[in-house]
């Protein structure tokens, strides 16, 4: 740890809920935290020290000069800006070489192929003819994805005819992937610090709907020891090979034939790890801070046999969240409520609830019941 | 909950570590938090929105008008200021009627006597003659305390002759108390919301040295069911009778004859409850926010059989804290480190470490070992 003006200071680019949730562990660890936010009303507003555009080099550079290490709430800082920071001698974690794999899905697919890590069948398609070839290869249906900028289901489309992606192809090549026949989705969360230490949390099951994470069960129920080991090895290998610093989330398909295939990466705390705030000795947010500061990583042990995390998506029909919170708290005094200080809009992630316990079904029931008080 | 500018806002007067530790649960609950701090470098600096004197009515009033409810990091806001806030229609929790019992030890002793709650023998002494009478009554030795302004051993003196308190008596009457023959010190933490709901954490043992809390063991080892019940009832009764809102810590003596006697009160989160951050479903800091916002209280269940909390008092001889933190983290990956962002001075509370587990001795060992890395 180095320090300026007496206290170690982490700078986070982006002021969403992930930056917001880095604030509690920063406060507990005695680390100052500063956020370059989109607005003074950003979710992470308590730590927003500058408001500005994360794509503007001067803005980002001025912000970065006031902190000891730069990290991220999202993957949207352009490569030229990231590389200019590095050239200016600023510690950027994760760095641009690693981060490009979370910014560009084609870069990721090529790299995983080089590494021999299992992933869906894929191709880079530049036009309808190439997409037609790929559709022939994978049985007539495929997923196409814009390589950059997609999130929560945006930039993803299932196609069964070559011309169904013409609008996107006008902007450049796409990633085409087979539609994996998967049993369920899993996520493997790890953290890696610059010195190379890696910490691995238990494998989890994630439940998506409309491309958005809805529920997470930790650890993944009924996962075989082999699936757990393979998932751990994949995530560890990616973290090492790509030189990731900070938290890495590897989204996985558990295929119907038992293979474990890499879907996508996030190089930051991730929705699949929110359960760790209440369900693990070290949360992903504390671990991310430790990792980007090159401090020894904390224990990833669960503190309860099971954790269930349910997202709060949108808000009640009458819009009055504040009236619902007391009902939830009165009914579920052990549920851990997390609200992101955001205005509710349909489908928007505005919070989550975690329940822990000896029995998964019971924890899921309690977490869902808590969320229902907020939405129904 | 009421809101201004879209978000519920709690205002904390005083920017020490207690205000600092209210920040994480405020962030998690989606509550905005503002602090009236002593300086921009206050421990709670991330939430400091105004710097000023908590004894100055205009300063406090201006701060209070920007928040939905006012609460405290300490008990030093003068009664006239508190009452002016109430007169101005501001929600002050705890209110002045309750808070005076934590501000003035003579007011507390009189009130506990009215309530018939067990406490040490005591007397208000205005001069050396009255102190001499009291010394005769209690066997020749007594503790004298300044009624107001004492903390962490300041304003407390053991005397065995009537003239040993003359310097303090020049400033007004003192509280004289018998030297209780106690087996150990205990603390009972509760929280009460304005609607009357009370939540009670397990009784804990506290270890003091030089008048400062050093270690806390939760729950209090080998406490009898009767001691636990009596302690709970005392704290519950005080919270109700005094109309406390927020967290109340009742410091207790477990006397050699098994009586449980009230030593002092704190009407705010308290050092004896720091273990709840890592060791209970709901921390005292989250509960304090719930209580002052009149929200339903959270579960006070421990999340592990045993918790041990060890204070970090002072710093290493070479002053280089930052060099010690990685040693601690590497050796004790499961220890929960809390640093308050304060400059280390001999004896100053600058942080704490909590360890939890199945075995108390093991947890105590691990927490002490962790702290030793910081200090030795």
């Amino acid at each position: 740890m180095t320090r300026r003006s007496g206290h170690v200071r982490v700078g986070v680019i982006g002021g969403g809920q992930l930056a917001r949730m880095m604030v509690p562990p920063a406060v507990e660890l005695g680390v100052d935290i500063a956020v370059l936010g989109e607005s003074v009303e950003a979710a992470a507003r308590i730590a927003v020290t500058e408001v500005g555009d994360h794509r503007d080099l001067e803005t980002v550079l001025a912000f970065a000069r006031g902190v000891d290490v730069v990290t991220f709430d999202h993957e949207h800082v352009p490569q030229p800006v990231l590389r200019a920071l590095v050239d200016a001698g600023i510690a950027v974690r994760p760095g641009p070489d690693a981060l490009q794999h979370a910014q560009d899905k084609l870069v990721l697919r090529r790299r995983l192929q080089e590494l021999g890590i299992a992933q869906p069948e894929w191709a880079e398609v530049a036009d309808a003819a190439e997409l037609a070839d790929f559709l022939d290869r994978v049985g007539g249906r495929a997923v196409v994805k814009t390589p950059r900028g997609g999130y929560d289901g945006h930039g993803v489309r299932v196609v069964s005819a070559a011309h169904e992606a013409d609008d996107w192809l006008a902007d450049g090549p796409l990633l085409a992937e087979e539609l994996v026949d998967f049993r369920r989705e899993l996520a493997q969360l790890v953290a890696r610090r610059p010195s190379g230490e890696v910490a691995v949390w238990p494998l989890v099951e994630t439940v998506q709907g409309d491309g958005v994470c809805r529920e997470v069960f930790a650890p993944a129920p009924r996962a075989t020891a082999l699936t757990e080991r393979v998932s751990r090895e994949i995530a560890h290998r990616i973290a090492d090979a790509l030189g990731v610093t900070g938290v890495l989330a590897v989204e996985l398909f558990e295929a119907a034939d038992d293979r474990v295939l890499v879907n996508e990466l996030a190089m930051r705390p991730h929705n699949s790890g929110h359960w760790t705030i209440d369900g693990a000795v070290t949360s992903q947010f504390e671990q991310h801070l430790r990792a980007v500061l090159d401090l020894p990583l904390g224990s990833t042990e669960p503190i309860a046999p099971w954790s269930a995390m349910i997202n709060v998506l949108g808000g009640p029909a009458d819009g009055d969240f504040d009236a619902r919170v007391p009902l939830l708290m009165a009914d579920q005094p052990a549920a851990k409520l997390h609200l992101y200080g955001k205005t509710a809009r349909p489908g928007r992630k505005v919070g989550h609830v975690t329940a822990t316990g000896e029995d998964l079904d019971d924890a899921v029931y309690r977490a869902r019941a808590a969320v229902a008080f907020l939405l129904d």
Side-chain angles (χ1 to χ4, degrees), chain A residues 292-307:
Chain A
V292 301
L293 289 166
D294 203 14
L295 289 168
L297 301 178
S299 164
T300 54
E301 284 294 306
I303 61 166
W306 297 101
S307 294

Side-chain angles (χ1 to χ4, degrees), chain A residues 8 71 73 78 80 110 119 170 179 220 247 278 298 303 318 327:
Chain A
V8 176
T71 190
D73 170 78
R110 283 183 213 119
Q119 56 182 339
L179 266 170
V247 165
D278 304 299
I303 61 166
D318 61 9
L327 305 178

Side-chain angles (χ1 to χ4, degrees), chain A residues 34-40 47-52 58-60 62-64 66:
Chain A
V35 168
L36 171 61
E38 298 72 24
S39 106
V40 293
V48 168
T49 54
E50 271 175 80
V51 172
E58 288 313 309
T59 301
V60 175
F63 173 76

Side-chain angles (χ1 to χ4, degrees), chain A residues 126-307:
Chain A
D127 54 35
E130 290 183 6
L131 180 52
D133 286 348
F134 185 74
L135 283 168
D136 281 349
R137 222 170 94 198
V138 296
R141 289 182 79 209
V143 184
V144 292
K145 297 179 177 179
T146 55
R148 309 177 67 89
Y151 69 97
D152 283 356
H154 299 272
V156 176
R157 189 184 289 171
V158 176
V159 299
S160 46
H163 287 287
E164 285 175 20
D166 285 351
D167 50 340
W168 287 356
L169 281 165
D171 295 327
L174 299 177
L175 169 63
E177 297 179 351
E178 68 169 317
L179 266 170
V180 175
D181 179 19
F182 62 83
R183 192 180 293 134
R184 58 178 174 171
E185 293 188 66
L186 304 170
Q188 180 62 62
L189 200 73
V190 300
R192 183 177 176 278
R193 56 188 283 224
S195 65
E197 185 191 3
V198 171
V200 183
W201 284 271
L203 182 69
V204 303
E205 176 176 346
T206 67
V207 179
Q208 321 283 322
D210 297 329
V212 178
C213 175
R214 303 199 165 241
E215 304 191 337
V216 173
F217 312 133
R222 300 171 304 282
T224 64
L226 179 62
T227 295
E228 289 178 344
R229 184 165 65 77
V230 167
S231 302
R232 226 166 25 235
E233 285 174 2
I234 287 173
H236 199 136
R237 184 122 183 273
I238 292 173
D240 280 343
L242 274 48
V244 176
T245 47
V247 165
L248 167 72
V250 182
E251 298 182 46
L252 299 161
F253 295 121
E254 185 182 75
D257 59 6
D258 272 336
R259 286 178 308 153
V260 174
L261 305 174
V262 175
N263 181 14
E264 297 191 1
L265 303 188
M267 269 178 219
R268 47 166 172 76
H270 186 253
N271 205 158
S272 65
H274 289 357
W275 70 275
T276 60
I277 301 174
D278 304 299
V281 173
T282 308
S283 80
Q284 64 168 346
F285 297 98
E286 177 177 340
Q287 200 79 295
H288 189 73
L289 295 176
R290 289 180 182 234
V292 301
L293 289 166
D294 203 14
L295 289 168
L297 301 178
S299 164
T300 54
E301 284 294 306
I303 61 166
W306 297 101
S307 294

Side-chain angles (χ1 to χ4, degrees), chain A residues 316-325 374:
Chain A
D318 61 9
D320 191 359
F321 242 129
D322 287 355
R324 310 304 183 94
V325 167
L374 295 181

Side-chain angles (χ1 to χ4, degrees), chain A residues 64-86:
Chain A
R65 289 203 165 109
V67 301
D68 296 297
V69 58
V70 166
T71 190
F72 307 95
D73 170 78
H74 56 64
E75 290 105 349
H76 306 319
V77 180
Q79 281 283 322
V81 173
L82 296 171
R83 293 187 187 275
L85 293 181
V86 172

